[in-house]
Amino acid sequence: SQQGEEDPQALSIQEGENATMNCSYKTSINNLQWYRQNSGRGLVHLILIRSNEREKHSGRLRVTLDTSKKSSSLLITASRAADTASYFCATDRGETSGSRLTFGEGTQLTVNP
Amino acid sequence: DGGITQSPKYLFRKEGQNVTLSCEQNLNHDAMYWYRQDPGQGLRLIYYSQIVNDFQKGDIAEGYSVSREKKESFPLTVTSAQKNPTAFYLCASSMRGDQPQHFGDGTRLSIL
């Protein structure tokens, strides 16, 4: 079963606007990661936030994590047409020495020029 | 450039046929993973390997098999027992510990 659920499933905005995507999960986690996927391509890692962290920034990306609510959000500021892609959250429950991730179903973001 | 290479990009399977998808990485990563992605959905884990000569089943391993004879390579065989193999298959690798995964560009498998 999927650990993470993204909300909304689809989001359409104009260039320059901010985009916010949310992710909820069910069990305790070691870390939560956000990935981006362009159509027909592999996933690209965006940001990793550990369970003892509340907020992380990377360029125009801001991720928050609320472990009490079992939720995370990804904010993309000043969006560009090139940000059009699917965005996935993935949770790592720390069960293996590697990184066994459980992915949500994603948010399809469309940024209109 | 370091990265993960998946081949072929497109693959067609006939009824009753086994097919093998290739995944090679030169990132010196210990762990490798295979995922299946169906249209409009997230990724589901098929198999993963944390070290050479060892691998574990993921959430949807039935009808699939893997081997890990070399650190760089983690091929996936889709057997005839997998009745609905049409999907996009993604391979990934990572360092040990709290590290992100690096993905290949996928193989799209269809039924003839």
Side-chain angles (χ1 to χ4, degrees):
Chain A
S1 62
Q2 296 291 336
Q3 161 83 316
E5 293 183 4
E6 278 100 335
D7 168 51
Q9 287 188 321
L11 180 60
S12 182
I13 59 174
Q14 296 300 123
E15 239 179 353
E17 293 180 341
N18 295 343
T20 299
M21 288 159 266
N22 303 296
C23 171
S24 61
Y25 57 92
K26 296 174 182 158
T27 65
S28 62
I29 60 171
N30 187 45
N31 67 66
L32 185 144
Q33 303 177 31
W34 285 91
Y35 289 81
R36 165 196 169 123
Q37 183 181 35
N38 285 73
S39 182
R41 302 295 298 274
L43 277 69
V44 174
H45 178 259
L46 296 176
I47 203 161
L48 182 154
I49 187 165
R50 293 182 173 82
S51 59
N52 61 353
E53 297 174 311
R54 291 296 166 258
E55 187 171 312
K56 268 188 120 167
H57 296 255
S58 176
R60 292 183 297 112
L61 305 180
R62 172 179 170 250
V63 167
T64 61
L65 179 65
D66 186 335
T67 53
S68 66
K69 294 182 180 177
K70 293 187 169 58
S71 67
S72 173
S73 68
L74 170 67
L75 168 68
I76 303 174
T77 60
S79 63
R80 305 166 182 168
D83 294 328
T84 295
S86 292
Y87 292 81
F88 295 92
C89 69
T91 53
D92 181 353
R93 289 179 281 187
E95 294 170 334
T96 69
S97 60
S99 167
R100 177 173 176 165
L101 298 177
T102 304
F103 285 83
E105 296 196 351
T107 293
Q108 172 62 51
L109 173 66
T110 302
V111 182
N112 301 298
Chain B
D1 278 342
I4 298 182
T5 301
Q6 290 188 240
S7 63
K9 192 171 177 66
Y10 300 96
L11 188 58
F12 298 91
R13 196 190 89 169
K14 295 179 182 177
E15 290 286 341
Q17 186 181 44
N18 293 352
V19 291
T20 297
L21 285 60
S22 170
C23 178
E24 303 277 332
Q25 54 100 359
N26 60 3
L27 298 167
N28 199 33
H29 286 168
D30 288 307
M32 296 186 75
Y33 314 82
W34 273 106
Y35 295 93
R36 170 183 171 135
Q37 185 178 31
D38 290 285
Q41 297 190 26
L43 279 64
R44 291 184 290 168
L45 183 64
I46 304 172
Y47 269 98
Y48 65 104
S49 167
Q50 298 179 71
I51 198 166
V52 174
N53 292 322
D54 187 43
F55 50 82
Q56 287 80 40
K57 292 181 179 180
D59 299 318
I60 55 164
E62 186 174 348
Y64 301 97
S65 66
V66 293
S67 62
R68 186 86 188 275
E69 297 176 2
K70 298 187 300 181
K71 187 175 185 178
E72 302 80 17
S73 179
F74 191 40
L76 173 74
T77 297
V78 184
T79 75
S80 57
Q82 173 50 246
K83 297 306 178 189
N84 183 24
T86 297
F88 190 48
Y89 290 87
L90 287 159
C91 179
S93 70
S94 73
M95 300 281 286
R96 282 181 165 246
D98 217 0
Q99 299 297 323
Q101 293 185 12
H102 298 252
F103 283 81
D105 266 343
T107 292
R108 192 166 298 279
L109 176 62
S110 302
I111 297 294
L112 278 177

